Amino acid sequence: MRRLAIAAIVGAVVALAAGALTALAAVDGRRLAFAGAANPFGRGAWVGLGTVACQKHIHVEAPFDEIVMQLVAFPPEPRISVTVRSAADGRALARGDVPRGVAGGWQHVATPTVSLSRGIPAGRIVDVCIRSVGRLPVGLFGSPHVTAGSSHAAVISPHGVERATGTDIRLVFARRRTRSVLSMVPAMVRRAALFKPGFIGAWTYWVLLAALLVAVPALLVRALWSADRGPLAERGRPSPAPGPPPPAR
Amino acid sequence: MPRRLPRPPRPLSALLAASLLVTVAWALLIPPFHAPDEDGHYAYAQSLAENLTRPPFHDPAVTHGPQLSPSVRMAEAFARTGSFWLVERDSQRPFWDGYAQRRYEAALRAHPPPSDRVDTAEYQSTDPPLYHAWAAIAYRVASTPNVFSRLFAMRLWTAPLVLLTVLGAWLLAGELFGPDRTLQLVVAGCVGLQPMVTFMSSGVNPDAAALPASAFVLWLTVRVVRRKPSRRVLLALAASLVAAVLSKTVLISLLPAAAVALVVALRRFGRWPRRGWAVVAPALIAAVVVGLAVVAAASPDSLPPVSKLGGFFNYLWSYYSPRSAWAPRVGGLPPHPFYRIWLRGAWGEFGSADVHFPSGVYKVLALVSVATFAGAVMALIRRRFAQDRAVLLVAGLAAAGLVLGLHVGDYAQVSRFGITVTLGRYLLPLLPIAGVAAAVALRNLPPRWRLHGGALVLSSMFALDLVALGLVARRFYA
């Protein structure tokens, strides 16, 4: 009876934690597809006056149909359009506009979300080009190009001359539809296995999950049961009556 | 005929296996270079393994020039991790598909960076070398130019150190409670399943070695006080202290507790000379002075100028005063630093300190912490536990020494640069004492309920691990 109670306590607490995690993962909706390597603490590029800024050669890690950027724009409110092109042949894959009312004013940083006309599937290499139709330039936030990826920012002049800026534009790629974290668990397991030695794969994480949920509670129950039997029982003898204990090793 | 090692008690074996499993889970889950300062510690171990020298130091905030090593820089650039994880922490993620990994491997084949060049280990260059020497063994054994494979080997090589941490806590509990396996299990479980202990034992970081070394120092200090120490025990205590200091300099603050334990042992076990204090008091003062000199030599910026003593007391007041949210703030300290830094950081601050429990959880954990120590005090008052004042003294000295040592170092940074550098995890070497408090608190329960209480404590600790692992998985991979 006592042993059952111990197992029940351990099982209940672990089940409660696992259940709470599962419930939270089921209601935790995520829209993030993936994010570029740039940080929004500096200049990514300026656009306007006929100049177009592109973040080139982006590897699409997961499907997306929205792009979030950070910019500062001078009044009057600019009109900014975004085009996603195939990096291979320059063909336009999708386009969208910065919504009105979110990008005005040079005193604050705007973080508009651009809805694209079509979704972009994973695995493609694309360029994201940003154009401003206005008299004053728009600043796009980003940071110096530091990662080893081939993705980089470039500006294209009104005469079609392309120049690398040595920076990256901060872009976050999102989905209109949220996905629960729970539904993403298989993908999360695949992602966790990246940048590990070759023998580590998604299977390792499934085994690990099973070990955590089954083996560790079983080990704890075993430890508690053995503790209950006392030190002498470990050597096959019954525990003595309680008394002043000698120091143990 | 060689003496056979005694078989570990079954509860201990099971707990060791559970603790190791959780630690390995952390090692697998945390993205490369996302354990605290992991790239710097990797570069340190790389320097020892490749060149048998400590890495050069220069302060990345002051001195320009390449940091870490070409191989680490290249790996981080491809994996979008470590140093590239800067400001936009909310939506930034490591690469999520095999594309970047394949490109890294191709670049490695085409232009492998020189393995033996280490430019700096950033701020970690001034750390003592013991843990890095340990990690360097795995670096050498994993003979591959792939930094990620080497890093993973070093993590797996580090993880078993958690077994020593658990063993140290188990032995400490045995010294205090006798062969009461339930209480030993509670103490060792509070340490070996505490999420920050398993997390910090899974990454390339000297805390993984500092934790077992300090657990052994605490155990042997208490043992010296409780039983007539043999030469072997004294040597073991000295070795543990040296290992602790060579893993993390601030653990020199455990020296006064060990010295007082020796004095108590001399008095208790009959070798106390007449006028013994005339010898011992100057020796203790000399030990403190030598300790400070060692710290000053190892890292000159870690001690504040003596002229700022008044400011130091103001700093301590704002750290611990319950009204610190309204009191004038010492620059660099957040409101309620005791709660924000010590408590939150000691219970759970994962990744590069960018993954936390929900704030409500910390409030519950704060209540649990207070209840644990209050329960322990109640058990002492109710005489549910045979008190030994000398043990209380050395435990108190160890705790006070470490906390004071951390504050002195922190105040040096606060007064110079206006930033606090302490983190809650720096208190983890004292966790065996907290585990003992939990076990003593359990003595308030009738004996037949103690095992149930122990089951609740152990399973709750593991539940915290599960939640923390889930939060980290969500943070980096969802």
Side-chain angles (χ1 to χ4, degrees):
Chain A
M1 196 62 198
R2 189 174 159 84
R3 289 183 146 207
L4 270 181
I6 297 302
I9 290 172
V10 174
V13 173
V14 173
L16 193 69
L21 269 179
T22 309
L24 285 175
V27 298
D28 184 4
R30 311 286 277 185
R31 293 179 55 234
L32 176 72
F34 65 101
N39 288 288
F41 59 72
R43 176 181 63 84
W46 287 96
V47 291
L49 305 172
T51 305
V52 177
C54 295
Q55 182 67 26
K56 308 204 60 144
H57 292 277
I58 298 167
H59 172 68
V60 181
E61 297 172 45
F64 70 93
D65 49 22
E66 286 186 342
I67 297 176
V68 183
M69 60 185 79
Q70 290 195 1
L71 55 88
V72 62
F74 295 94
E77 189 179 3
R79 282 171 34 221
I80 302 166
S81 67
V82 177
T83 308
V84 180
R85 298 181 180 281
S86 163
D89 54 15
R91 187 165 47 91
L93 301 172
R95 64 172 307 282
D97 297 316
V98 170
R100 314 235 25 181
V102 295
W106 50 271
Q107 285 178 317
H108 73 277
V109 177
T111 310
T113 299
V114 177
S115 278
L116 297 175
S117 55
R118 284 175 53 198
I120 307 294
R124 299 195 78 128
I125 310 285
V126 298
D127 299 341
V128 173
C129 293
I130 300 149
R131 176 191 298 273
S132 170
V133 186
R135 281 175 298 159
L136 292 171
V138 172
L140 299 166
F141 282 80
S143 57
H145 178 68
V146 284
T147 53
S150 57
S151 179
H152 63 277
V155 291
I156 303 165
S157 73
H159 311 294
V161 178
E162 183 176 317
R163 178 177 59 83
T165 57
T167 59
D168 285 316
I169 301 168
R170 173 64 180 170
L171 298 171
V172 176
F173 301 89
R175 293 180 297 262
R176 275 193 278 273
R177 279 187 57 201
T178 56
R179 274 188 72 186
S180 72
V181 171
L182 192 61
S183 71
M184 295 165 70
V185 168
M188 290 165 69
V189 162
R190 283 196 303 275
R191 293 164 183 172
L194 290 173
F195 293 105
K196 300 281 184 328
F199 61 91
I200 303 280
W203 66 270
T204 320
Y205 289 83
W206 291 115
V207 170
L208 188 72
L209 186 63
L212 284 176
L213 292 178
V214 179
V216 175
L219 284 165
L220 293 185
V221 170
R222 182 186 159 83
L224 287 157
W225 283 354
S226 308
D228 193 28
R229 293 169 66 198
L232 293 179
E234 289 160 13
R235 301 182 194 109
R237 280 179 282 165
S239 296
R249 296 299 301 272
Chain B
M1 196 173 150
R3 225 171 63 177
R4 280 180 56 193
L5 279 173
R7 260 181 62 184
R10 280 181 195 157
L12 176 62
S13 314
L15 179 65
L16 288 172
S19 185
L20 183 63
L21 206 51
V22 178
T23 306
V24 169
W26 276 113
L28 276 161
L29 196 68
I30 292 283
F33 300 121
H34 271 284
D37 306 318
E38 202 172 23
D39 47 7
H41 293 301
Y42 180 98
Y44 194 131
Q46 182 183 6
S47 177
L48 287 183
E50 296 283 356
N51 308 322
L52 290 176
T53 59
R54 290 171 69 182
F57 172 75
H58 65 248
D59 184 342
V62 178
T63 320
H64 297 291
Q67 302 290 324
L68 304 168
S69 62
S71 53
V72 172
R73 288 198 296 272
M74 178 180 171
E76 289 192 332
F78 274 96
R80 201 164 63 197
T81 183
S83 300
F84 292 92
W85 202 271
L86 297 171
V87 177
E88 186 60 31
R89 290 180 159 186
D90 186 45
S91 54
Q92 190 70 283
R93 299 287 189 278
F95 273 111
W96 272 354
D97 65 5
Y99 177 73
Q101 188 175 342
R102 288 192 296 275
R103 290 189 62 243
Y104 170 68
E105 284 160 2
L108 213 51
R109 282 192 295 273
H111 305 289
S115 287
D116 58 350
R117 191 178 134 200
V118 176
D119 295 306
T120 149
E122 296 193 328
Y123 298 109
Q124 283 66 53
S125 300
T126 54
D127 285 354
L130 184 63
Y131 167 74
H132 302 93
W134 173 259
I137 295 171
Y139 178 99
R140 290 295 322 175
V141 170
S143 180
T144 163
N146 188 317
V147 165
F148 300 110
S149 297
R150 272 198 155 130
L151 178 73
F152 187 68
M154 289 157 84
R155 282 185 178 182
L156 283 190
W157 182 240
T158 299
L161 293 176
V162 80
L163 302 177
L164 294 177
T165 310
V166 175
L167 180 64
W170 174 273
L171 292 170
L172 171 67
E175 205 58 50
L176 292 171
F177 302 116
D180 184 331
R181 297 301 191 218
T182 303
L183 296 187
Q184 280 187 285
L185 193 59
V186 168
V187 176
C190 280
V191 175
L193 294 172
Q194 208 268 7
M196 281 302 285
V197 170
T198 47
F199 165 61
M200 288 308 299
S201 302
S202 71
V204 178
N205 190 294
D207 284 25
L211 292 175
S214 52
F216 271 77
V217 170
L218 290 174
W219 163 50
L220 290 164
T221 302
V222 169
R223 195 181 194 282
V224 162
V225 168
R226 301 265 290 182
R227 285 191 275 170
K228 188 175 179 180
S230 64
R231 191 173 295 167
R232 259 188 356 187
V233 167
L234 291 176
L235 279 175
L237 175 59
S240 306
L241 266 171
V242 169
V245 176
L246 285 180
S247 303
K248 208 158 182 177
T249 312
V250 74
L251 292 182
I252 201 166
S253 56
L254 297 177
L255 188 62
V260 167
L262 289 176
V263 171
V264 170
L266 279 173
R267 280 185 67 92
R268 277 191 171 173
F269 304 114
R271 290 195 186 170
W272 185 249
R274 283 184 65 201
R275 297 175 143 199
W277 283 112
V279 178
V280 166
L284 281 177
I285 293 168
V288 171
V289 171
V290 168
L292 289 173
V294 168
V295 173
S299 132
D301 287 343
S302 59
L303 293 178
V306 180
S307 61
K308 295 202 171 177
L309 207 58
F312 181 60
F313 288 119
N314 276 345
Y315 157 89
L316 283 183
W317 176 251
S318 27
Y319 219 96
Y320 293 102
S321 156
R323 289 174 56 82
S324 65
W326 296 277
R329 274 169 58 187
V330 172
L333 290 185
H336 299 301
F338 175 75
Y339 173 75
R340 290 273 184 98
I341 297 175
W342 280 158
L343 199 131
R344 286 173 61 109
W347 269 110
E349 208 169 58
F350 310 99
S352 300
D354 56 346
V355 185
H356 304 91
F357 290 122
S359 58
V361 172
Y362 291 106
K363 288 179 181 137
V364 174
L365 292 173
L367 288 176
V368 168
S369 308
V370 170
T372 301
F373 282 97
V377 170
M378 192 197 290
L380 290 177
I381 292 169
R382 294 170 71 193
R383 299 192 179 280
R384 293 297 176 97
F385 173 61
Q387 290 185 43
D388 183 339
R389 285 186 185 168
V391 170
L392 288 176
L393 174 70
V394 292
L397 268 177
L402 181 61
V403 171
L404 190 65
L406 289 170
H407 278 311
V408 168
D410 188 41
Y411 180 63
Q413 302 301 312
V414 166
S415 60
R416 281 193 176 94
F417 307 114
I419 51 162
T420 177
V421 292
T422 47
L423 295 168
R425 65 182 163 86
Y426 298 164
L427 293 182
L428 291 179
L430 300 176
L431 202 58
I433 296 177
V436 168
V440 172
L442 273 187
R443 286 226 167 176
N444 287 306
L445 296 175
R448 68 198 166 94
W449 290 111
R450 283 181 197 156
L451 192 70
H452 300 81
L456 192 62
V457 170
L458 294 192
S459 50
S460 302
M461 280 290 179
F462 173 59
L464 276 178
D465 273 303
L466 273 185
V467 172
L469 287 162
L471 289 173
V472 165
R474 173 184 176 275
R475 168 70 185 90
F476 292 115
Y477 306 118

